[in-house]
Amino acid sequence: MARKPQFSEASASLEGLFPETLSVAEEPAPGHLGHRARMRTRLLTAGPDALLDHEMLEMLLFQALPRRDTKPIARALLARFGSFANTIAAEARELQAVDGMGEAGAAALKTVHGAALRLMRAEVRDQPVLNNWDRLIGYLNAALARESIEQFRVLFLDAKNRLIADEAQAKGTVNHTPVYPREVVKRCLELQATALILVHNHPSGDPTPSRADLEMTQEVKAAAKVLGIVVHDHLIMGNGRHLSFRREGLL
């Protein structure tokens, strides 16, 4: 008579075929399922403002981690990053360092961050940027204020000052980004842009311009002027603060 397989052998076989299968101990308890159902109902009936920050993170994470209790993970994320906005804006490697996250959890949060930026960019695009300044600053704060390294971006505008493109030209270190005026002007010509706004962030949170910032701005302005391209402004984004070169009389 053939020997019956032992339970451990059968389990190993199933795990080989379905590596994502988890043990009973890893399945969420019925209480977790009820908690999720109640949050889902509250979200759909009362809207997202009805959920606290940790509950919103729980909702996002249990889409990616359906067999995990996501409440302690959500609370750990808030404890580390301080807020919902800081959490979804954190780098993927930092998110994965939180116990229980993994690639799936990090990808879920970065997807939400990307979706939020696309929505904000859509509200700015194809409209006169200079007449929608508050929306522009809101978008740039969301995109840059929480970056841990300097990033230099250029907003390329058409003759009606509508946004054609928002492009990262360079990334640097925590306090320096190399910028080449010739490349900025070349890209203007490729996009047929007639005006631009320079933007970069200061990871320190202090938007005060450095001497290098002042010199680079004048170099780009001079190179653009030769081709009739207007530099409307240079914005430095700090953490919740920003500085406008034009407003400060630096342009």
mmCIF file of all heavy atoms in Angstrom, residues 168-193:
data_model
loop_
_atom_site.group_PDB
_atom_site.id
_atom_site.type_symbol
_atom_site.label_atom_id
_atom_site.label_comp_id
_atom_site.label_asym_id
_atom_site.label_seq_id
_atom_site.Cartn_x
_atom_site.Cartn_y
_atom_site.Cartn_z
ATOM 1 N N ALA A 168 12.081 67.413 -15.185
ATOM 2 C CA ALA A 168 13.265 67.424 -14.324
ATOM 3 C C ALA A 168 14.494 67.477 -15.216
ATOM 4 O O ALA A 168 14.681 66.619 -16.083
ATOM 5 C CB ALA A 168 13.289 66.185 -13.445
ATOM 6 N N GLN A 169 15.310 68.492 -15.022
ATOM 7 C CA GLN A 169 16.518 68.640 -15.823
ATOM 8 C C GLN A 169 17.718 67.962 -15.180
ATOM 9 O O GLN A 169 18.617 67.496 -15.870
ATOM 10 C CB GLN A 169 16.826 70.125 -16.019
ATOM 11 C CG GLN A 169 15.755 70.869 -16.777
ATOM 12 C CD GLN A 169 15.620 70.391 -18.206
ATOM 13 O OE1 GLN A 169 16.579 70.447 -18.974
ATOM 14 N NE2 GLN A 169 14.447 69.915 -18.565
ATOM 15 N N ALA A 170 17.735 67.929 -13.851
ATOM 16 C CA ALA A 170 18.877 67.333 -13.167
ATOM 17 C C ALA A 170 18.532 67.039 -11.724
ATOM 18 O O ALA A 170 17.659 67.669 -11.135
ATOM 19 C CB ALA A 170 20.084 68.279 -13.222
ATOM 20 N N LYS A 171 19.220 66.046 -11.155
ATOM 21 C CA LYS A 171 19.175 65.761 -9.732
ATOM 22 C C LYS A 171 20.603 65.805 -9.214
ATOM 23 O O LYS A 171 21.546 65.442 -9.911
ATOM 24 C CB LYS A 171 18.556 64.389 -9.456
ATOM 25 C CG LYS A 171 17.057 64.321 -9.706
ATOM 26 C CD LYS A 171 16.477 63.003 -9.231
ATOM 27 C CE LYS A 171 14.969 62.980 -9.392
ATOM 28 N NZ LYS A 171 14.366 61.728 -8.856
ATOM 29 N N GLY A 172 20.759 66.261 -7.971
ATOM 30 C CA GLY A 172 22.096 66.415 -7.436
ATOM 31 C C GLY A 172 22.262 65.767 -6.091
ATOM 32 O O GLY A 172 21.865 64.622 -5.875
ATOM 33 N N THR A 173 22.814 66.529 -5.160
ATOM 34 C CA THR A 173 23.052 66.039 -3.805
ATOM 35 C C THR A 173 22.077 66.761 -2.875
ATOM 36 O O THR A 173 21.115 67.366 -3.319
ATOM 37 C CB THR A 173 24.500 66.332 -3.389
ATOM 38 O OG1 THR A 173 24.704 67.758 -3.368
ATOM 39 C CG2 THR A 173 25.480 65.710 -4.369
ATOM 40 N N VAL A 174 22.339 66.709 -1.592
ATOM 41 C CA VAL A 174 21.435 67.365 -0.646
ATOM 42 C C VAL A 174 21.517 68.877 -0.733
ATOM 43 O O VAL A 174 20.637 69.583 -0.243
ATOM 44 C CB VAL A 174 21.729 66.915 0.806
ATOM 45 C CG1 VAL A 174 21.417 65.454 0.981
ATOM 46 C CG2 VAL A 174 23.180 67.223 1.184
ATOM 47 N N ASN A 175 22.575 69.427 -1.360
ATOM 48 C CA ASN A 175 22.687 70.886 -1.404
ATOM 49 C C ASN A 175 23.229 71.442 -2.725
ATOM 50 O O ASN A 175 23.621 72.606 -2.792
ATOM 51 C CB ASN A 175 23.563 71.393 -0.249
ATOM 52 C CG ASN A 175 24.963 70.786 -0.277
ATOM 53 O OD1 ASN A 175 25.355 70.138 -1.246
ATOM 54 N ND2 ASN A 175 25.710 71.002 0.785
ATOM 55 N N HIS A 176 23.234 70.641 -3.788
ATOM 56 C CA HIS A 176 23.745 71.156 -5.065
ATOM 57 C C HIS A 176 23.189 70.339 -6.225
ATOM 58 O O HIS A 176 23.111 69.111 -6.159
ATOM 59 C CB HIS A 176 25.271 71.099 -5.093
ATOM 60 C CG HIS A 176 25.846 71.532 -6.411
ATOM 61 N ND1 HIS A 176 25.751 72.829 -6.871
ATOM 62 C CD2 HIS A 176 26.495 70.826 -7.378
ATOM 63 C CE1 HIS A 176 26.331 72.911 -8.072
ATOM 64 N NE2 HIS A 176 26.794 71.705 -8.384
ATOM 65 N N THR A 177 22.797 71.048 -7.266
ATOM 66 C CA THR A 177 22.358 70.407 -8.504
ATOM 67 C C THR A 177 23.038 71.090 -9.676
ATOM 68 O O THR A 177 22.921 72.316 -9.832
ATOM 69 C CB THR A 177 20.832 70.531 -8.690
ATOM 70 O OG1 THR A 177 20.172 69.978 -7.556
ATOM 71 C CG2 THR A 177 20.374 69.791 -9.937
ATOM 72 N N PRO A 178 23.755 70.351 -10.521
ATOM 73 C CA PRO A 178 24.388 70.983 -11.684
ATOM 74 C C PRO A 178 23.344 71.346 -12.744
ATOM 75 O O PRO A 178 22.485 70.541 -13.084
ATOM 76 C CB PRO A 178 25.334 69.885 -12.201
ATOM 77 C CG PRO A 178 24.697 68.608 -11.748
ATOM 78 C CD PRO A 178 24.033 68.923 -10.430
ATOM 79 N N VAL A 179 23.403 72.582 -13.230
ATOM 80 C CA VAL A 179 22.448 73.051 -14.228
ATOM 81 C C VAL A 179 23.234 73.649 -15.392
ATOM 82 O O VAL A 179 24.178 74.424 -15.184
ATOM 83 C CB VAL A 179 21.501 74.125 -13.638
ATOM 84 C CG1 VAL A 179 20.541 74.636 -14.708
ATOM 85 C CG2 VAL A 179 20.731 73.565 -12.461
ATOM 86 N N TYR A 180 22.831 73.315 -16.617
ATOM 87 C CA TYR A 180 23.522 73.787 -17.806
ATOM 88 C C TYR A 180 22.562 74.638 -18.634
ATOM 89 O O TYR A 180 21.646 74.123 -19.273
ATOM 90 C CB TYR A 180 24.032 72.600 -18.615
ATOM 91 C CG TYR A 180 24.936 71.697 -17.801
ATOM 92 C CD1 TYR A 180 24.448 70.502 -17.263
ATOM 93 C CD2 TYR A 180 26.256 72.051 -17.537
ATOM 94 C CE1 TYR A 180 25.264 69.687 -16.482
ATOM 95 C CE2 TYR A 180 27.076 71.245 -16.762
ATOM 96 C CZ TYR A 180 26.574 70.059 -16.235
ATOM 97 O OH TYR A 180 27.384 69.270 -15.466
ATOM 98 N N PRO A 181 22.749 75.965 -18.623
ATOM 99 C CA PRO A 181 21.839 76.860 -19.342
ATOM 100 C C PRO A 181 21.627 76.471 -20.802
ATOM 101 O O PRO A 181 20.514 76.595 -21.320
ATOM 102 C CB PRO A 181 22.539 78.219 -19.213
ATOM 103 C CG PRO A 181 23.314 78.118 -17.935
ATOM 104 C CD PRO A 181 23.794 76.693 -17.893
ATOM 105 N N ARG A 182 22.690 76.006 -21.458
ATOM 106 C CA ARG A 182 22.559 75.627 -22.871
ATOM 107 C C ARG A 182 21.540 74.518 -23.056
ATOM 108 O O ARG A 182 20.742 74.537 -24.005
ATOM 109 C CB ARG A 182 23.929 75.175 -23.406
ATOM 110 C CG ARG A 182 23.919 74.776 -24.881
ATOM 111 C CD ARG A 182 25.316 74.441 -25.346
ATOM 112 N NE ARG A 182 25.887 73.340 -24.570
ATOM 113 C CZ ARG A 182 27.138 72.902 -24.723
ATOM 114 N NH1 ARG A 182 27.959 73.507 -25.572
ATOM 115 N NH2 ARG A 182 27.575 71.903 -23.999
ATOM 116 N N GLU A 183 21.502 73.544 -22.132
ATOM 117 C CA GLU A 183 20.542 72.447 -22.237
ATOM 118 C C GLU A 183 19.116 72.935 -21.992
ATOM 119 O O GLU A 183 18.174 72.462 -22.623
ATOM 120 C CB GLU A 183 20.906 71.345 -21.237
ATOM 121 C CG GLU A 183 22.222 70.654 -21.516
ATOM 122 C CD GLU A 183 22.234 69.993 -22.887
ATOM 123 O OE1 GLU A 183 21.214 69.369 -23.253
ATOM 124 O OE2 GLU A 183 23.256 70.123 -23.598
ATOM 125 N N VAL A 184 18.964 73.893 -21.075
ATOM 126 C CA VAL A 184 17.636 74.437 -20.793
ATOM 127 C C VAL A 184 17.090 75.145 -22.030
ATOM 128 O O VAL A 184 15.946 74.930 -22.440
ATOM 129 C CB VAL A 184 17.688 75.411 -19.594
ATOM 130 C CG1 VAL A 184 16.333 76.100 -19.406
ATOM 131 C CG2 VAL A 184 18.082 74.671 -18.317
ATOM 132 N N VAL A 185 17.930 75.984 -22.650
ATOM 133 C CA VAL A 185 17.497 76.729 -23.832
ATOM 134 C C VAL A 185 17.246 75.781 -25.010
ATOM 135 O O VAL A 185 16.280 75.946 -25.766
ATOM 136 C CB VAL A 185 18.551 77.795 -24.194
ATOM 137 C CG1 VAL A 185 18.198 78.463 -25.522
ATOM 138 C CG2 VAL A 185 18.644 78.840 -23.085
ATOM 139 N N LYS A 186 18.079 74.782 -25.154
ATOM 140 C CA LYS A 186 17.895 73.800 -26.227
ATOM 141 C C LYS A 186 16.544 73.107 -26.103
ATOM 142 O O LYS A 186 15.826 72.918 -27.091
ATOM 143 C CB LYS A 186 19.017 72.763 -26.166
ATOM 144 C CG LYS A 186 18.885 71.635 -27.193
ATOM 145 C CD LYS A 186 19.988 70.609 -27.011
ATOM 146 C CE LYS A 186 19.792 69.434 -27.970
ATOM 147 N NZ LYS A 186 20.842 68.388 -27.762
ATOM 148 N N ARG A 187 16.175 72.765 -24.877
ATOM 149 C CA ARG A 187 14.891 72.092 -24.667
ATOM 150 C C ARG A 187 13.731 73.049 -24.950
ATOM 151 O O ARG A 187 12.678 72.631 -25.448
ATOM 152 C CB ARG A 187 14.815 71.570 -23.232
ATOM 153 C CG ARG A 187 13.588 70.706 -22.954
ATOM 154 C CD ARG A 187 13.563 69.488 -23.835
ATOM 155 N NE ARG A 187 12.417 68.627 -23.529
ATOM 156 C CZ ARG A 187 11.772 67.895 -24.415
ATOM 157 N NH1 ARG A 187 12.156 67.908 -25.703
ATOM 158 N NH2 ARG A 187 10.750 67.147 -24.058
ATOM 159 N N CYS A 188 13.900 74.328 -24.645
ATOM 160 C CA CYS A 188 12.880 75.323 -24.990
ATOM 161 C C CYS A 188 12.603 75.320 -26.482
ATOM 162 O O CYS A 188 11.445 75.359 -26.923
ATOM 163 C CB CYS A 188 13.342 76.717 -24.570
ATOM 164 S SG CYS A 188 13.127 77.106 -22.827
ATOM 165 N N LEU A 189 13.659 75.280 -27.267
ATOM 166 C CA LEU A 189 13.503 75.286 -28.718
ATOM 167 C C LEU A 189 12.812 74.016 -29.204
ATOM 168 O O LEU A 189 11.961 74.063 -30.102
ATOM 169 C CB LEU A 189 14.873 75.436 -29.392
ATOM 170 C CG LEU A 189 15.599 76.762 -29.129
ATOM 171 C CD1 LEU A 189 16.992 76.743 -29.772
ATOM 172 C CD2 LEU A 189 14.784 77.932 -29.647
ATOM 173 N N GLU A 190 13.170 72.890 -28.620
ATOM 174 C CA GLU A 190 12.540 71.619 -29.008
ATOM 175 C C GLU A 190 11.048 71.626 -28.739
ATOM 176 O O GLU A 190 10.257 71.075 -29.515
ATOM 177 C CB GLU A 190 13.205 70.461 -28.258
ATOM 178 C CG GLU A 190 14.648 70.204 -28.684
ATOM 179 C CD GLU A 190 15.343 69.181 -27.805
ATOM 180 O OE1 GLU A 190 14.790 68.831 -26.736
ATOM 181 O OE2 GLU A 190 16.446 68.736 -28.180
ATOM 182 N N LEU A 191 10.643 72.257 -27.630
ATOM 183 C CA LEU A 191 9.224 72.286 -27.249
ATOM 184 C C LEU A 191 8.490 73.509 -27.804
ATOM 185 O O LEU A 191 7.287 73.649 -27.607
ATOM 186 C CB LEU A 191 9.100 72.287 -25.721
ATOM 187 C CG LEU A 191 9.563 71.022 -25.005
ATOM 188 C CD1 LEU A 191 9.593 71.242 -23.496
ATOM 189 C CD2 LEU A 191 8.661 69.837 -25.343
ATOM 190 N N GLN A 192 9.244 74.380 -28.484
ATOM 191 C CA GLN A 192 8.698 75.633 -28.992
ATOM 192 C C GLN A 192 8.113 76.486 -27.860
ATOM 193 O O GLN A 192 7.090 77.154 -28.008
ATOM 194 C CB GLN A 192 7.637 75.381 -30.071
ATOM 195 C CG GLN A 192 8.191 74.666 -31.299
ATOM 196 C CD GLN A 192 7.161 74.472 -32.400
ATOM 197 O OE1 GLN A 192 5.961 74.399 -32.145
ATOM 198 N NE2 GLN A 192 7.632 74.399 -33.632
ATOM 199 N N ALA A 193 8.786 76.454 -26.728
ATOM 200 C CA ALA A 193 8.372 77.253 -25.580
ATOM 201 C C ALA A 193 8.875 78.676 -25.745
ATOM 202 O O ALA A 193 9.974 78.915 -26.262
ATOM 203 C CB ALA A 193 8.920 76.646 -24.294
#
